[in-house]
């Protein structure tokens, strides 16, 4: 079950068509299919083989890509391959057509003429162009279709990048824009920014300028590409791939094409002289070194090492990727105002480089705000959601002290240090403290502050992505301890239970807190949603506390902790009010077990769920194996082993789902659990589900007192399959021991096949094996190693 939009303004999209089966087109089709939209993928007719061969090949390729465009590989079969010669009749019953062919205006216009007679009278048409004029494209359409045409620009990869820019034309019907915004937000799970029809729109206009500025200053300050990447990645709150690794991933030819588009379409831009690929970028392209897709670009692999291009030597050298000590210390400063002051004052070339790239980015973004975007908020969200920055350019500037930084930029412009002598707009230096405030965000074109959109779809986001300084209602606390907070938001009678620990791990305070909160909820509330204020849902048990007990030899206390874990899972399962888990991000180990015992799970699509205990030498003992055994018996009472076969490998190999949809296929989510595509809507939907369950007279399940199990025959069968793993050196003896104990728990222990046991029996088996493993040196070594390095140990 996936959550459907409830806003009346949403377009009802049953079927979509994507024109163009290239990298973007195929992945947009994949993500629409993830979202439950029947999708036809068109391309040119193939010259050999089946006529839809190009689309067929693209669909097959979706299964191999990493990161995976499909939330479940089996969804590839749902995409309909098509070609323009045979299948234009498909367009008659399509509600949304997205064109995603190459960035050639003439090709796009020809295609529009070809499809126009076949498109239904109510279908919305959109182009995924990354920078061509939307008004120019609209002119190729018959007049009666122009009010239904708009730009819809996805960012790559479409499943994972939150941003979609919607670019209306002068004639686009407001109802079409509003409906599309609701559809893209709720059904497809995106962050929508309404952009003006200017070259490269918002995200790429500012993002590509930032890259060009970084490349220009790399040369000016004579820094290595690896040094720049060390400076412009996580140290600035940006992705690990930073600048030059990102260029390699995108493709240097693609990067050069986008730069050329800026040069061709923005002749009057005061920064126009910089809209050209640097000599060394052209050199790489001429050699065919286009980045990751050709195996070499700014970086390449040499054996196990990564080497980086040295422009002076015209050859690759080992990558050092390190900030200078002085700059590393400045970047570690928490206060942005102090940090920027020190960067500007420092004589270290790396510090000067960083100040220069920020100065020119701020200057460019402020200068163009009125032309390209409705508000500063739209710019910041476009860069955060489309480029993965933690803060957008205006947020960064405001956090660093608006007036202080504005003064420095003006000084550098006057001194000829900035890339352009264009003056800062008057509003920048009018005494303001920033562009985001209580009244909203600054609109330079309107000369006023604008609040957030009042579109009804955003009422579903109880805690939207905050812009700098924004605060939302934190609700009313019902009860809290050191581990959890039980609170309410509004008067719907649904409690929200949030953990207070780092990574929302589970310790004694959390275990006791969950149990107490559920008792209170049974007295005062009608339902509970377990929801964390930030990702992850839970990284599982607090390993530090567990290892401390083991190393001190306090095995009795350790066993009590395990029993308390199980008691918490049982409190969730048998609560008299429905407990709904709202999962996003990681739900590992105990986190996975808590959601398994909930009355229902509502999971964001990007949920990574797994019983991962085997990776640290343990087995799931918060009731996870017991719950899988109970579910197997319920699904197939005559032969639960058939059901257990589906989950044994998942648990024994500590597999983690790559999406909520995959978690369903793996048996870690139930088929009637709800999948939500926009994680900002997760709490809203979970509360609605919990309230509906309460209103429909919810009762917890009856305790399972006669669970048929697979018994010793089932365990023996699993062990036989493990022998092949050991012989092929795919598993160590300790791995086999862990997996054998998992098998014993799932199959109900050393009893006859078909025997019936109760839940207490299954829970006791879990505890027995968990404690036995915890006492071994190898498991303790695995726990310690994981805590120290964050990586599993194979011993």
């Amino acid at each position: 079950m996936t959550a459907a939009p409830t806003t009346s303004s949403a377009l009802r999209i049953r079927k979509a068509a994507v024109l163009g089966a290239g990298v973007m087109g195929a992945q947009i089709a994949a993500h629409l299919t993830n979202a439950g939209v029947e999708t036809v993928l068109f391309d040119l007719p193939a010259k050999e083989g089946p006529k839809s061969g190009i689309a067929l090949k693209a669909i097959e390729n979706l299964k191999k890509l990493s990161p995976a465009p499909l939330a479940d590989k089996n969804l590839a079969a749902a995409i309909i391959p098509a070609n323009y010669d045979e299948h234009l009749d498909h367009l008659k019953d399509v509600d949304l057509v997205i064109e995603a062919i190459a960035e050639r205006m003439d090709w796009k216009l020809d295609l529009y003429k070809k499809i126009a007679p076949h498109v239904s009278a109510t279908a919305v048409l959109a182009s995924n162009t990354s920078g061509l004029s939307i008004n120019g494209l609209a002119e190729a359409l018959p007049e009666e279709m122009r009010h239904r045409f708009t730009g819809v620009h996805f960012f790559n990869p479409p499943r994972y990048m939150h941003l979609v820019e919607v670019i209306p034309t002068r004639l686009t019907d407001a109802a079409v824009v509003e409906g599309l915004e609701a559809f893209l937000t709720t059904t497809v799970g995106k962050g929508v920014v309404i952009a003006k029809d200017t070259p490269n729109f918002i995200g790429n206009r500012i993002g590509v300028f930032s890259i060009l500025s970084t490349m220009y200053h790399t040369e000016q300050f004579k820094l290595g590409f690896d040094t720049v990447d060390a400076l412009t990645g996580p140290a600035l709150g940006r992705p690990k791939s930073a600048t030059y690794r990102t260029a390699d991933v995108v493709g240097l030819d693609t990067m050069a094409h986008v730069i050329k588009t800026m040069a061709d379409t923005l002749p009057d831009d005061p920064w126009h002289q910089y809209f050209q690929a640097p000599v060394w970028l052209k050199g790489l392209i001429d050699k065919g070194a286009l980045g990751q897709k050709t195996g070499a670009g700014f970086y390449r692999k040499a054996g196990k090492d990564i080497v980086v291009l040295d422009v002076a030597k015209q050859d690759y050298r080992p990558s050092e990727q390190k900030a200078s000590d002085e700059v590393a210390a400045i970047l570690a400063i928490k206060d942005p105002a102090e940090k920027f002051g020190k960067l500007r004052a420092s004589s270290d070339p790396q510090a000067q480089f960083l100040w220069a790239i920020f100065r020119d980015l701020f200057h460019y973004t402020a200068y163009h705000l009125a032309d390209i975007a409705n508000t500063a908020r739209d710019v910041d969200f476009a860069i955060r959601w489309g480029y993965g920055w933690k803060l957008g350019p205006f947020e960064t500037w405001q956090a660093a002290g608006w007036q202080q930084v504005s003064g420095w930029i003006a000084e550098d412009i006057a001194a000829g240090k900035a890339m352009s002598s264009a003056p800062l707009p008057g509003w920048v230096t009018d005494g303001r403290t920033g562009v985001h405030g209580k009244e909203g965000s600054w609109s330079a074109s309107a000369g006023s502050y604008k609040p957030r959109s009042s579109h009804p779809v955003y009422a579903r986001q109880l805690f939207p992505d905050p812009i700098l300084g924004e605060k939302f209602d934190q609700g009313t606390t019902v009860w809290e301890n050191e581990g959890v907070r039980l609170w309410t938001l509004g008067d719907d009678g649904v409690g929200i239970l949030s953990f207070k620990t780092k990574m929302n791990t589970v310790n004694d305070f959390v275990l006791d807190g969950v149990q107490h909160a559920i008792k209170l909820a049974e007295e005062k509330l009608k339902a509970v949603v377990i929801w964390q204020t930030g990702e992850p849902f839970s990284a599982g048990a607090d390993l530090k506390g567990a290892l401390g007990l083991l190393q001190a030899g306090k095995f009795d206390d350790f066993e009590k902790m395990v029993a308390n874990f199980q008691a918490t899972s049982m409190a969730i399962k048998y609560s008299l009010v429905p407990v709904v888990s709202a999962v996003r991000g990681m739900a590992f180990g105990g986190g996975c077990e808590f959601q398994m015992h909930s009355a229902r799970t509502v999971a964001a699509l990007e949920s990574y769920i797994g019983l991962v205990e085997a990776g640290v030498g343990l087995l799931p003992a918060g009731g996870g194996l017991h719950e899988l055994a109970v579910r197997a018996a319920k699904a197939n009472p005559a032969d639960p082993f058939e059901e257990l076969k589906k989950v044994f490998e998942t648990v024994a190999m500590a597999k983690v789902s790559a999406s909520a949809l995959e978690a369903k296929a793996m048996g870690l989510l139930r088929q009637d659990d709800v999948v939500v595509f926009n994680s900002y809507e997760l709490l809203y939907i979970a509360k609605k589900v919990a309230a509906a369950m309460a209103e429909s007279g919810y009762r917890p399940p009856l305790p399972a007192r006669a669970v048929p199990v697979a018994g010793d025959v089932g365990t023996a069968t699993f062990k036989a399959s493990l022998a092949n793993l050991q012989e092929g050196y795919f598993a160590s003896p300790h791995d086999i021991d862990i997996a054998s104990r998992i098998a014993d728990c799932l199959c109900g222990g050393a009893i006859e096949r078909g025997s019936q046991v109760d839940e207490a029996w299954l829970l006791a088996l879990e505890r027995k094996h968990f404690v036995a493993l915890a006492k071994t040196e190898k498991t303790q070594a695995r726990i310690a190693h994981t805590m120290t390095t964050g990586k599993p140990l194979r011993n």
Side-chain angles (χ1 to χ4, degrees):
M1 179 179 175
T2 54
T6 59
T7 49
S8 57
S9 54
L11 287 176
R12 299 294 177 186
I13 308 280
R14 186 183 300 279
K15 190 173 181 181
V18 176
L19 312 179
V23 173
M24 280 302 281
Q27 292 199 51
I28 291 168
H31 194 58
L32 288 171
T33 307
N34 289 337
V37 178
E38 185 182 15
T39 303
V40 188
L41 180 61
F42 278 90
D43 211 298
L44 296 165
K47 291 181 177 139
E48 293 172 8
K51 268 208 165 177
S52 296
I54 296 172
L56 280 162
K57 189 176 176 188
I59 293 166
E60 195 53 36
N61 192 46
L62 288 170
K63 300 179 196 171
K64 300 170 193 164
L65 291 177
S66 178
L70 291 161
D72 179 349
K73 282 183 184 168
N74 297 320
L75 287 169
I79 303 172
I80 303 163
N83 67 81
Y84 302 120
D85 278 7
E86 299 175 315
H87 300 123
L88 288 176
D89 59 328
H90 269 303
L91 296 173
K92 287 186 172 62
D93 61 348
V94 155
D95 306 304
L96 173 65
V97 180
I98 299 177
E99 168 272 305
I101 67 167
E103 292 289 86
R104 284 269 303 265
M105 181 71 91
D106 52 342
W107 291 0
K108 288 180 192 281
L109 298 182
D110 284 348
L111 181 58
Y112 293 178
K113 284 173 189 153
K114 182 184 280 192
I115 66 160
H118 302 273
V119 175
S120 97
T122 55
V124 171
L125 278 85
S127 174
N128 182 58
T129 178
S130 56
L132 295 177
S133 166
I134 301 299
N135 282 289
L137 290 170
E139 285 164 21
L141 293 168
E143 212 161 307
E144 70 272 12
M145 293 174 76
R146 291 180 191 176
H147 71 285
R148 293 181 278 123
F149 177 74
T150 182
V152 171
H153 180 218
F154 285 82
F155 275 63
N156 192 17
R159 172 181 159 189
Y160 300 94
M161 297 313 291
H162 192 56
L163 178 65
V164 171
E165 292 173 314
V166 171
I167 312 98
T169 71
R170 288 183 291 274
L171 301 172
T172 310
D173 191 325
V176 167
V177 178
E178 194 175 310
L180 202 52
E181 185 170 3
F183 168 74
L184 289 166
T185 301
T186 288
T187 306
V188 190
K190 296 297 164 196
V192 174
V193 167
I194 308 293
K196 297 185 181 184
D197 187 16
T198 53
N200 285 9
F201 314 128
I202 303 173
N204 281 342
R205 180 72 176 272
I206 301 302
V208 173
F209 174 80
S210 176
I211 291 167
L212 282 168
S213 160
T214 302
M215 287 179 167
Y216 170 74
H217 288 300
T218 298
E219 233 168 347
Q220 295 301 298
F221 291 98
K222 299 182 171 48
L223 299 179
F225 301 128
D226 50 344
T227 301
V228 170
D229 278 355
L231 295 170
T232 59
L236 295 187
R238 298 182 189 176
K240 272 198 293 197
S241 53
T243 303
Y244 293 104
R245 279 185 194 277
T246 298
D248 274 354
V249 171
V250 168
L252 305 192
D253 51 343
T254 306
M255 184 70 68
H257 172 78
V258 176
I259 294 168
K260 185 177 185 304
T261 302
M262 283 182 84
D264 293 348
T265 56
L266 295 164
D268 301 325
D269 192 300
W271 284 261
H272 184 266
Q273 71 186 86
Y274 302 102
F275 299 166
Q276 54 180 308
V279 176
W280 31 265
L281 180 57
K282 286 182 191 152
L284 284 167
I285 293 167
D286 291 345
K287 284 182 191 165
L290 307 179
Q292 198 167 279
K293 59 189 170 188
T294 59
F298 291 110
Y299 295 89
R300 70 174 170 83
K301 250 187 153 181
K304 286 186 179 176
D305 299 323
I306 301 286
V307 291
V308 64
L309 181 69
D310 187 317
V311 175
K313 293 179 182 167
Q314 287 289 295
D315 199 1
Y316 289 87
R317 60 167 173 77
S319 172
E320 292 152 11
Q321 203 155 5
K322 193 173 174 290
S324 70
D325 291 345
E326 183 184 337
V327 169
I330 294 172
L331 291 176
I333 295 168
K334 290 276 188 286
D335 175 27
E338 185 187 346
K339 185 187 298 188
F340 270 81
K342 292 211 161 146
L343 282 176
R344 188 166 189 266
S346 171
S347 57
D348 185 309
Q350 292 184 15
Q352 292 175 337
F353 161 81
L354 284 171
W355 162 248
I357 65 168
F358 275 114
R359 173 198 64 217
D360 292 319
L361 171 65
F362 296 159
H363 184 190
Y364 188 83
T365 310
Y367 185 88
H368 285 296
L369 175 59
D371 318 329
I372 66 170
N374 294 317
T375 69
R377 183 194 305 107
D378 292 334
V379 172
D380 282 340
F381 278 155
I383 292 297
R384 273 165 48 177
W385 295 344
Y387 280 77
W389 295 14
K390 278 191 181 152
L391 289 179
F394 285 124
E395 289 177 296
T396 307
W397 182 350
Q398 185 167 324
W402 186 270
Q403 284 305 325
Q404 166 179 273
V405 172
S406 302
W408 292 337
I409 297 169
E411 280 175 32
D412 280 10
I413 294 169
K417 291 180 181 176
M419 286 169 77
S420 166
S421 59
L424 281 170
W427 59 264
V428 171
T429 52
D430 64 3
R432 68 182 54 241
T433 55
V435 288
H436 304 300
K438 283 179 182 167
E439 316 97 278
S441 293
W442 179 250
S443 170
S445 52
S448 63
Y449 284 88
K450 295 267 182 87
R452 275 181 178 262
S453 167
S454 57
H455 191 307
V457 76
Y458 298 115
R460 298 165 61 87
Q461 299 187 15
L462 302 180
F463 290 90
D465 196 358
I467 206 79
L468 184 75
E470 259 186 321
K471 295 278 187 288
F472 304 110
D473 181 0
Q474 299 300 302
T476 305
T477 301
V478 176
W479 175 84
E480 63 186 322
N481 70 352
E482 284 185 50
V484 305
R485 177 186 179 226
L486 177 66
W487 52 290
T488 54
L489 191 65
D491 56 1
D492 58 4
V494 177
I496 303 164
L497 187 58
S498 304
F499 300 176
K500 296 179 176 182
T501 48
K502 189 179 178 185
M503 301 284 283
N504 299 317
T505 51
V506 180
N507 60 17
D508 287 337
F509 293 114
V510 171
L511 294 172
D512 294 341
V514 170
Q515 290 176 53
H516 186 68
I518 288 172
K519 278 181 192 154
L520 280 177
E522 288 174 336
E523 294 166 18
K524 299 180 177 182
L525 300 165
K526 65 181 183 188
V528 172
V529 170
I530 303 177
W531 178 80
Q532 314 298 8
T533 54
E535 289 186 24
F537 178 71
S538 173
D542 171 24
L543 288 177
K544 188 178 176 187
L547 187 62
L549 291 174
L550 292 172
Q551 289 175 334
K554 295 181 178 175
F555 297 116
D556 288 348
D557 289 348
F558 183 77
E559 190 161 359
K560 278 179 196 160
M561 184 193 75
V562 180
N564 200 27
F565 220 120
Q566 293 181 337
T568 307
S569 291
M570 292 302 104
I572 291 169
K573 182 173 182 175
Y574 291 112
S575 164
L576 288 171
V577 295
V579 178
V580 171
S581 286
V583 175
R584 55 184 168 165
M586 295 182 295
F588 291 170
C592 176
E593 288 171 304
F594 284 172
Q595 69 79 24
M596 286 173 75
H597 288 86
S598 302
R600 186 70 50 84
T601 295
V602 178
L605 177 71
E606 300 309 332
S607 293
Y608 312 112
I609 301 172
L611 294 168
V612 297
E613 287 84 350
V616 289
L618 292 165
L619 52 73
L625 297 177
H626 131 278
E627 183 63 17
L628 290 172
V630 170
R631 288 184 191 180
K634 196 179 282 185
N636 191 342
D639 188 8
F641 185 76
E642 281 306 304
E643 295 299 314
L644 293 172
K645 279 198 295 196
K646 299 173 191 173
V647 292
F648 171 66
E649 192 178 297
T650 295
V651 184
M653 299 187 77
K655 288 184 178 177
V656 174
S657 75
S659 73
L661 295 182
E662 194 175 277
K664 284 191 175 191
M666 291 165 67
L668 298 171
L669 287 180
R670 294 154 292 203
Q671 288 310 308
D672 62 350
D673 284 335
V674 181
V675 177
V676 173
F677 273 64
N678 193 320
S679 65
Y680 293 108
E681 295 184 351
L682 183 67
L683 180 59
Y684 172 88
I685 294 168
K687 288 184 80 192
K688 292 287 186 194
V689 167
M693 292 178 85
E695 291 296 336
S696 62
Y698 175 81
R699 292 291 300 172
L702 292 168
R705 293 201 170 87
V707 182
V709 293
D712 47 12
V713 174
T715 306
T717 310
F718 281 137
K719 282 185 175 177
S721 68
L722 294 171
N724 298 333
L725 280 175
Q726 192 167 3
E727 279 174 31
Y729 299 104
F730 294 114
S732 70
H734 196 50
D735 290 329
I736 301 298
D737 183 29
I738 298 160
S740 300
R741 291 173 185 274
I742 289 169
D744 195 57
C745 290
L746 288 172
C747 295
I751 54 174
E752 214 171 293
R753 181 180 185 171
S755 299
Q756 294 190 340
V757 301
D758 62 11
E759 288 185 271
W761 172 277
L762 293 168
L763 291 168
L765 262 179
E766 271 188 8
R767 286 197 305 276
K768 180 184 90 172
H769 285 303
F770 187 86
V771 173
L773 282 170
K775 287 178 177 177
T776 65
E777 275 182 36
K778 288 194 170 178
T779 284
Q780 290 182 28
R782 284 191 182 192
I783 296 171
H785 186 269
T786 301
M787 282 173 54
T788 310
T789 65
K791 294 174 183 171
L793 171 69
R794 293 295 303 277
N795 59 356

